[in-house]
Amino acid sequence: DGCDIYFDKFVTFMHRLFAKWKELEVTHSLTVVFFSRTFSRQEQQDTSVGEGRGYEDHYKMVIENETRTDWASLVYKIKKAFVRYPIEVGWHLNAKAGRVPSTASQGNLLEAINITLNLLSLHYADRDLHRTG
């Protein structure tokens, strides 16, 4: 258990959560977004963080507003998207190649939280009419 990466812990959490939802016979709407920051040695980037490195922030919506009774099939979809994500954002294993993921402390976690909070700031107003009867 001490060797698990955070994604493995997330998958375990999803299985437990979906089992609990099934047991309680509840319905929820689920959205999963992957987010990351990619550092680049190229000077053409618009923004930079420490050490003069340019960066790009990436946000990928994997699942949007899914509501279903069988959640287990979504775990496969999330795993598949996780495996493809490094290729989609152009990360390289060799740091000298130019595009590498940031560390957690240099990442875009606060920006991701802010985006989520902006969506939830008017939670009582159904702006997209998904749940209006």
Side-chain angles (χ1 to χ4, degrees), residues 41-100:
R41 298 246 179 248
Q42 299 168 350
E43 300 302 323
Q44 65 211 37
Q45 303 298 328
D46 294 335
T47 54
S48 64
V49 172
E51 302 174 20
R53 294 188 291 180
Y55 70 87
E56 294 177 42
D57 286 341
H58 306 279
Y59 303 90
K60 176 184 171 78
M61 183 135 357
V62 179
I63 296 171
E64 182 179 14
N65 295 326
E66 284 283 341
T67 303
R68 56 176 67 187
T69 55
D70 176 31
W71 292 98
S73 62
L74 286 180
V75 175
Y76 174 74
K77 183 176 181 180
I78 293 169
K79 285 181 176 182
K80 192 171 157 184
F82 180 75
V83 170
R84 284 193 321 256
Y85 188 74
I87 297 164
E88 291 173 359
V89 297
W91 290 341
H92 301 284
L93 294 177
N94 181 357
K96 294 179 183 176
R99 296 181 55 82
V100 294

Side-chain angles (χ1 to χ4, degrees), residues 79-124:
K79 285 181 176 182
K80 192 171 157 184
F82 180 75
V83 170
R84 284 193 321 256
Y85 188 74
I87 297 164
E88 291 173 359
V89 297
W91 290 341
H92 301 284
L93 294 177
N94 181 357
K96 294 179 183 176
R99 296 181 55 82
V100 294
S102 71
T103 61
S105 64
Q106 297 171 324
N108 58 345
L109 175 64
L110 294 177
E111 288 88 345
I113 291 171
N114 187 44
I115 289 170
T116 303
L117 291 177
N118 286 340
L119 291 172
L120 298 175
S121 66
L122 296 172
H123 63 86
Y124 53 85

